[in-house]
Amino acid sequence: MVMSELFGSMVFSDRVMRERLPESTYEEFRDCCEHDRPLSLETANVIAGAMKDWAVEKGVTHFTHWFQPMTGLSAEKHDSFISPTSDGGVIMEFGGKELIKGEPDASSFPSGGLRATFEARGYTAWDPTSYAFIKDGTLCIPTAFCSYNGQALDKKTPLLRSMEAVSREGVKLLHLFGRKTEKLSSAVGPEQEYFLIDSKAFEKRRDLMYTGRTLFGARPPKGQELEDHYFGAIKPRVAAFMKDLDEELWKLGVLAKTKHNEVAPAQHELAPIYTTVNVATDQNQLTMEIMRKVAAKHGMTCLLHEKPFAGVNGSGKHNNWSLVTNFGHNIFEPGKSPADNAQFLLIVSLMIAAVDKHQDLLRISAASAGNDHRLGANEAPPAIVSMFLGDELTGILDAIKDGRTYSKRAACQVEIGVHVLPKFAMDSTDRNRTSPLAFTGNKFEFRMLGSAFSIADTNTVLNTIMADEFRLAAEELAGAKDFNAAIKEIIRRNMKEHGRIVFNGNNYSEEWVKEAKRRGLLNLPTTVDCLALLDSPENIALFERHGVLTEAEIRSRKDILIENYSKLITIEGNTMLDMAEKDILPAVTTYEKELAETVSALAGAGIASAPQKDTLKLLAGLYSDAAKAVKSLKAALEKGKNAADWMAYGKICRDEIIPAMNALREACDGMEIRTAKKYWPFPTYGDLLFSVN
């Protein structure tokens, strides 16, 4: 199949709708999407009928409202198109009511106290701005998910609300500049990192199966030291996987663009082309699901955990975010006229203020038990939120702050509304890979997200905090007597009050940690540290002001996140105990017995056995350390069970369970190094990282 026929062949896309819908129906549908108006039932019926006919022609018999609950995964309940007839047969039916609204059982999804378990009713509502698609022979209709009382039980609903907020407030500001903008859309291109290992090796590691990461494992003789994997030739088996993955994604309209080897052995990356943020969110969820399925077909397992292996790079998800008008203009692109430059510099300064004011929310949006292992590990940004702008843009903004003209190479001067900004090319900034949030010419790249994350939360935060700054700026500018002077004053004030968040240096250095503390920036190294700030009065006021989340919805998310964190750590702790007591310690005991017998035999033959005795002594000491760590871990896990609430449990996880796990791992990894391979019960790091040829 040629690309033009393959791409989007499983999507009820705009092109398909134009072909299959009456012109008046199509025009009404487009108008409703563009202006956020509800569809009439009559129009919905026509669309549903055309959607069903298209799907049935492709062999589909069932449909599902595909949604994204607070698990961070996608969910679906399948219903068939069949309806009984009076003569005992069936017909294929699908109406507008079924398209627009579904009613899955909501009782077992995380709600954070928004509903009692016995209150089962929940609703799914069609998101018409994200196209329906066919997956595994089922018509999937992207939807939002809410409770009987209309409270958001998913990640998409707040995202859609935030999209409306940033558009509403951004349009107000752009109108003051004389722009005819009707809508402002957030666009995202999420780069996805992942590992591929052989499934046979995966199946022999209970830690990978239960938790997604290795809880034990000594470093192999070779890791990523030679930097030979990054952008290296792709191995045939991996290349075959990537080819099939591209084709499956292209069928679903996912704009998979770039693929390459990443830094760590067995690590790879896929990057799509930008698209509207709710569509990008749906497509990224699909990408992660399809990665796993395609890998399985090739006898491999796709690992999406943020830190599946200690000692080598973890996996992130780079969230490239920008704002685009309905005319296709990216407002983060520098302009060519004084007015364009004034608008550009103002908006960048608003972004600076937004990030500085809401460091906590951005850090929270990247918080998880898995990502705690990755952030700040010299492979990802640190847990301190900061921004990279590049020397030229920073210099221009600093000049405005200080009330002086900006000069570069002694020839170029800038004053808003008077002189033209020197041409600011898209590549005039580097891509500072150590920065949590880097300006890369026409977008901001948020690098803190973990590889397994939904991108919905981060983009909900970015949209909302930017909407608030748009609001404040529009209110101030609307009443200004001198528009250009008011713009300059806002930029000056934002740089003076919030410029501390801008850092163009090495975020990995110890000096930056000290400097960030001096500047008063937040350093929130763990998920528990972050979540304590989520429901602050300021954050509640922000989200409620823009209709993105209610106080109850915010508190529910805090409860869900800390509960999930605590449960994950508990599962990891119990898995470690299971592996240590059932496999590692017995295996080492057997090897110690062989060593002891060897020492005895050598002594009987009058042969010196000092090296064997030394190994035996080392193993005995490590075994003792491991046994103590097992006891400590059991006690910490038991203490967690008796915690007063989930936040208290989370603190026990952070302060007692994780340190006990680390101690157990250190002892067991030490024994692995000194135990003969034939006795070690699991595939080693070398077996896992170099298992795919």
Side-chain angles (χ1 to χ4, degrees), residues 16 21 71-72 119 210 320 563 609 631 643 647 658 674 687:
V16 175
L21 296 177
T71 58
E119 295 174 325
Y210 294 156
N320 295 282
E563 179 179 349
S609 58
K631 186 176 180 180
M647 184 55 75
I658 291 176
R674 295 166 177 84
D687 299 327

Side-chain angles (χ1 to χ4, degrees), residues 167-431:
S167 178
R168 180 178 62 249
E169 302 300 339
V171 165
K172 290 177 185 176
L173 179 63
L174 293 175
H175 282 177
L176 295 175
F177 281 88
R179 313 300 182 193
K180 296 181 179 180
T181 305
E182 297 177 0
K183 188 173 185 178
L184 193 62
S185 300
S186 44
V188 169
E191 303 168 27
Q192 179 72 55
E193 295 176 343
Y194 60 98
F195 280 82
L196 288 175
I197 63 172
D198 190 276
S199 292
K200 292 179 181 177
F202 169 82
E203 290 163 1
K204 295 176 182 177
R205 296 282 311 216
R206 291 200 300 283
D207 48 1
L208 282 174
M209 293 176 67
Y210 294 156
T211 73
R213 76 179 182 102
T214 52
L215 302 173
F216 299 102
R219 293 189 181 189
K222 180 180 184 294
Q224 62 190 53
E225 299 87 352
L226 297 179
E227 300 173 337
D228 54 341
H229 189 67
Y230 191 55
F231 278 30
I234 300 172
K235 295 176 180 178
R237 194 172 169 193
V238 175
F241 156 83
M242 288 180 169
K243 181 178 182 296
D244 287 353
L245 176 63
D246 278 342
E247 291 181 359
E248 291 301 314
L249 292 176
W250 289 338
K251 289 177 187 177
L252 293 167
V254 178
L255 295 161
K257 176 73 172 177
T258 304
K259 55 187 179 184
H260 61 83
N261 290 342
E262 255 298 333
V263 174
Q267 188 184 33
H268 314 279
E269 181 177 301
L270 179 147
I273 297 173
Y274 294 80
T275 190
T276 309
V277 65
N278 63 316
V279 175
T281 300
D282 289 352
Q283 292 187 346
N284 185 251
Q285 292 295 122
L286 277 174
T287 297
M288 292 189 288
E289 178 184 337
I290 293 168
M291 278 179 167
R292 293 187 180 102
K293 290 181 180 178
V294 174
K297 291 179 181 178
H298 289 264
M300 297 184 289
T301 297
C302 177
L303 303 178
L304 291 170
H305 193 283
E306 288 73 27
K307 191 73 171 179
F309 303 101
V312 299
N313 276 19
S315 294
K317 188 170 334 203
H318 302 165
N319 188 84
N320 295 282
W321 177 83
S322 60
L323 293 168
V324 182
T325 70
N326 55 297
F327 297 109
H329 173 63
N330 182 342
I331 66 171
F332 286 123
E333 281 195 10
K336 297 180 181 179
S337 71
D340 288 343
N341 292 329
Q343 176 185 303
F344 166 70
L345 291 173
L346 172 66
I347 289 172
V348 171
S349 83
L350 298 180
M351 183 70 176
I352 291 168
V355 174
D356 185 46
K357 290 178 184 177
H358 304 290
Q359 302 166 47
D360 57 342
L361 289 177
L362 285 168
R363 174 65 183 91
I364 290 165
S365 77
S368 75
N371 216 23
D372 284 355
H373 298 289
R374 171 180 163 266
L375 293 178
N378 277 22
E379 68 215 45
I384 304 167
V385 173
S386 67
M387 296 176 70
F388 169 86
L389 297 180
D391 292 339
E392 186 174 1
L393 184 53
T394 303
I396 293 168
L397 292 168
D398 280 341
I400 295 171
K401 177 191 71 173
D402 298 336
R404 55 183 171 81
T405 56
Y406 171 76
S407 65
K408 183 177 180 182
R409 303 184 189 94
C412 186
Q413 292 187 336
V414 178
E415 188 172 327
I416 292 178
V418 179
H419 300 294
V420 177
L421 184 69
K423 187 175 181 181
F424 189 78
M426 288 178 63
D427 60 356
S428 65
T429 62
D430 203 342
R431 294 188 67 242

Side-chain angles (χ1 to χ4, degrees), residues 13-28:
S13 63
D14 189 76
R15 176 180 57 80
V16 175
M17 284 189 276
R18 281 201 310 269
E19 293 174 354
R20 290 178 172 265
L21 296 177
E23 184 176 350
S24 59
T25 302
Y26 173 78
E27 292 299 332
E28 182 182 341

Side-chain angles (χ1 to χ4, degrees), residues 460-661:
T460 296
V461 170
L462 286 169
N463 289 342
T464 306
I465 64 176
M466 202 59 185
D468 207 47
E469 293 306 312
F470 283 150
R471 175 187 67 87
L472 292 171
E475 289 175 357
E476 185 169 345
L477 290 174
K481 294 180 180 179
D482 186 331
F483 191 69
N484 284 333
I487 292 172
K488 190 172 183 180
E489 173 57 23
I490 293 173
I491 296 172
R492 187 199 65 77
R493 186 172 64 244
N494 282 341
M495 287 303 297
K496 185 175 182 180
E497 296 179 1
H498 305 292
R500 63 177 184 166
I501 202 72
V502 177
F503 178 67
N504 294 331
N506 180 11
N507 294 70
Y508 290 166
S509 69
E510 284 298 319
E511 289 75 14
W512 167 235
V513 176
K514 297 174 184 175
E515 171 63 15
K517 183 177 181 180
R518 186 192 68 78
R519 295 187 185 192
L521 302 183
L522 295 174
N523 188 354
L524 304 169
T526 74
T527 296
V528 177
D529 300 322
C530 298
L531 293 181
L533 305 177
L534 177 54
D535 57 349
S536 70
E538 295 80 8
N539 289 337
I540 290 171
L542 169 73
F543 285 117
E544 288 195 328
R545 182 160 55 244
H546 294 283
V548 174
L549 288 167
T550 65
E551 180 175 350
E553 288 170 335
I554 293 169
R555 295 193 189 283
S556 75
R557 277 150 178 76
K558 178 179 179 179
D559 290 344
I560 289 168
L561 290 169
I562 192 62
E563 179 179 349
N564 184 62
Y565 170 87
S566 303
K567 287 179 176 178
L568 283 172
I569 298 301
T570 300
I571 291 169
E572 288 186 349
N574 285 324
T575 301
M576 289 192 84
L577 291 175
D578 187 65
M579 294 173 71
E581 293 188 299
K582 292 181 180 178
D583 298 288
I584 294 175
L585 294 180
V588 173
T589 297
T590 302
Y591 182 54
E592 285 179 319
K593 180 182 177 184
E594 181 181 300
L595 272 179
E597 290 172 351
T598 300
V599 169
S600 179
L602 289 172
I607 301 172
S609 58
Q612 291 87 346
K613 287 181 179 178
D614 288 344
T615 300
L616 187 58
K617 185 177 181 181
L618 281 169
L619 279 173
L622 290 166
Y623 191 106
S624 177
D625 291 343
K628 292 176 183 176
V630 164
K631 186 176 180 180
S632 297
L633 181 53
K634 285 182 176 180
L637 288 166
E638 188 62 31
K639 184 175 180 179
K641 290 180 184 178
N642 299 316
D645 52 43
W646 285 113
M647 184 55 75
Y649 198 157
K651 291 178 180 178
I652 292 170
C653 288
R654 178 193 62 190
D655 300 334
E656 299 184 47
I657 295 177
I658 291 176
M661 290 169 58

